[in-house]
Amino acid sequence: MRTVRTALIGCGKVGQIHAAALRELTESEFVAVCDRDSQRASAFSARFGVRAFTDVGDLLKEAAPQAVVVCTPHPLHAAAVIQAAEAGVSALVEKPMAASLADCDAMLAASAKAGTKLGIVSQRRLYEPVLRMKAAIDAGKIGKPVLGVFSMFSWRDQAYYGSDPWRGKWASEGGGVLVNQSPHQLDLLQWFMGQIDEISGFWANLNHPFIEVEDTALAMIRFKNGGLGSVVTSLSQRPGIYTKVHIHGDNGASVGVETDRGATFVAGVSEIAEPPLNDLWTIPGEEGLLPKFQAEDRARFRVINPTTHYHAMQIQDFLQAVRDDRPPLVTGEDGRIVVAMFTAIYRSNRERRPINFPLEAQG
Ligand SMILES: NC(=O)c1ccc[n+]([C@@H]2O[C@H](COP(=O)([O-])OP(=O)(O)OC[C@H]3O[C@@H](n4cnc5c(N)ncnc54)[C@H](O)[C@@H]3O)[C@@H](O)[C@H]2O)c1
């Protein structure tokens, strides 16, 4: 198999980025799109030259893709993935994997039973400053990673929440800043720090009275390696300030990335305005490298479109995983950890106690 027959489910904002990549990548034979809104499906069909469907079952049967990319609202990810797996079709799913652990478990079980691949989008793992940090941590350059800090001070306005009826409501989104904007950095934090032992958390809605869900959340994490973590994630600062993940090691050295500056971009609506950069690098003997890294990252930002580049890289990895029968870069098991992290913060806030890992779905 040289190319993989591909289809897109969910022709909305981020769907545009996926469709463009599915059309361009040499690994992809892009055959069809599906949206329950027939006008959106038709518009994508005309724009990308593929067949249009309004029902996932019809798409799977008639277009016979080998892989689908799922870009529906988060609580609807599971149904599409399970339907695809039952038809023997692999799925790359937008973040978060799902809004509940029960959905994650059902997706993992369906994919395991069918022998299909399941991947979760976390394209910031492919940012060069992030890969530099991962390589340095894995090489032992900060010793044992013992303190991980994720902080986001960003902004969403009423128009953002009004842009789609599913946003900002418990039933149709499953949560707020934790579920929608934070999965990228929650994933990086656990990727850098390792397995989680327990989480305590709080959430609040500080200045978005027109949504039901949280605009701000805090968490304290104890990792299995004895290290600690902290999360402050908020959409309440106008204008948005920054989003960072910093990792400190037991030899005293630190590495960090500013993944986003200003209000985090809205895929399919705005462009990434500032390059992701390493903003902290105190590894002994490497202190002088930070300006060089930053210059490289600024130069790259001028020649690639970061809004589409890293998505395309992750889709390419997933299609190669399907073609070569190997695990994708970010697996369903990885995606479930992020859902467990925000589930634990909600549970801790509700039950006023630390929540132990591994975390099971509640009935
Ligand atoms: N990785 C990233 O940076 C990133 C960026 C933006 C969005 N996302 C994720 O992508 C997902 C979609 O977000 P969006 O902003 O594109 O939302 P959106 O509302 O713009 O698009 C969702 C689309 O799914 C369609 N849809 C809903 N139910 C369907 C069904 N059962 N079958 C087929 N189509 C259906 C809707 O009609 C809509 O067109 C979310 O999970 C979001 O978190 C990820």
Side-chain angles (χ1 to χ4, degrees):
M1 189 202 315
R2 292 180 60 80
T3 58
V4 178
R5 282 172 67 83
T6 57
L8 172 74
I9 301 173
C11 302
K13 292 179 208 50
V14 84
Q16 301 172 60
I17 294 172
H18 286 273
L22 290 173
R23 183 179 56 187
E24 298 306 322
L25 287 168
T26 53
E27 290 83 355
S28 167
E29 184 194 348
F30 189 20
V31 293
V33 294
C34 173
D35 199 292
R36 65 179 173 195
D37 177 330
S38 61
Q39 287 186 343
R40 288 189 180 195
S42 301
F44 267 54
S45 157
R47 185 167 156 197
F48 295 100
V50 295
R51 295 177 69 187
F53 295 88
T54 53
D55 178 80
V56 174
D58 292 343
L59 167 119
L60 294 169
K61 204 164 138 202
E62 293 178 34
Q66 293 160 301
V68 291
V69 179
V70 178
C71 295
T72 54
H74 352 299
L76 305 177
H77 291 172
V81 169
I82 293 166
Q83 226 177 325
E86 286 171 353
V89 176
S90 294
L92 176 65
V93 186
E94 261 299 353
K95 50 53 51 179
M97 178 174 175
S100 74
L101 285 173
D103 274 4
C104 293
D105 291 339
M107 294 158 89
L108 286 163
S111 305
K113 186 172 171 201
T116 50
K117 307 285 177 210
L118 177 58
I120 312 300
V121 176
S122 188
Q123 78 275 12
R124 282 171 179 74
R125 278 202 195 190
L126 290 159
Y127 284 4
E128 286 77 4
V130 167
L131 290 171
R132 261 183 218 123
M133 286 172 68
K134 180 67 174 158
I137 294 167
D138 288 352
K141 290 183 176 181
I142 66 167
K144 185 168 78 170
V146 285
L147 183 60
V149 181
F150 155 33
S151 28
M152 174 161 76
F153 303 98
S154 191
W155 175 247
R156 288 290 183 278
D157 61 12
Q158 190 160 3
Y160 166 80
Y161 288 104
S163 65
D164 298 292
W166 58 271
R167 294 184 196 276
K169 302 184 181 99
W170 289 109
S172 50
E173 178 149 25
V177 64
L178 280 171
V179 167
N180 194 317
Q181 286 76 25
S182 309
H184 299 279
Q185 290 78 17
L186 292 174
D187 181 49
L188 296 185
L189 190 62
Q190 68 85 25
W191 197 42
F192 293 142
M193 292 292 296
Q195 287 192 335
I196 294 167
D197 187 18
E198 63 173 308
I199 295 188
S200 293
F202 297 102
W203 63 264
N205 183 324
L206 301 182
N207 60 7
H208 289 77
F210 42 84
I211 60 171
E212 296 172 2
V213 296
E214 85 286 354
D215 61 17
T216 300
L218 270 61
M220 293 182 293
I221 305 174
R222 190 185 297 280
F223 290 91
K224 286 236 157 72
N225 71 359
L228 301 175
S230 104
V231 173
V232 181
T233 182
S234 182
L235 295 176
S236 298
Q237 292 70 45
R238 180 169 45 181
I241 309 170
Y242 64 73
T243 306
K244 299 181 181 205
V245 180
H246 287 178
I247 307 294
H248 309 276
D250 71 350
N251 68 358
S254 306
V255 288
V257 62
E258 181 177 88
T259 58
D260 299 79
R261 170 150 286 270
T264 314
F265 90 107
V266 180
V269 177
S270 58
E271 298 290 326
I272 296 174
E274 301 274 349
L277 294 172
N278 290 116
D279 63 338
L280 179 64
W281 202 272
T282 63
I283 293 169
E286 297 191 359
E287 299 88 345
L289 291 180
L290 195 57
K292 180 177 160 286
F293 291 159
Q294 292 187 351
E296 279 175 27
D297 294 336
R298 287 187 202 285
R300 184 180 313 102
F301 191 74
R302 288 192 286 273
V303 293
I304 62 155
N305 179 348
T307 307
T308 54
H309 179 77
Y310 299 99
H311 263 98
M313 283 178 78
Q314 199 177 347
I315 297 166
Q316 183 173 45
D317 166 79
F318 186 75
L319 298 182
Q320 289 174 354
V322 171
R323 186 191 66 190
D324 301 342
D325 192 20
R326 61 154 172 87
L329 179 72
V330 185
T331 63
E333 287 78 8
D334 295 328
R336 188 190 188 280
I337 296 171
V338 172
V339 177
M341 290 171 86
F342 63 65
T343 300
I345 296 170
Y346 291 134
R347 233 181 251 180
S348 174
N349 185 86
R350 190 171 63 237
E351 299 176 12
R352 294 289 193 262
R353 66 179 180 89
I355 304 297
N356 292 318
F357 275 56
L359 199 59
E360 304 302 327
Q362 279 180 341

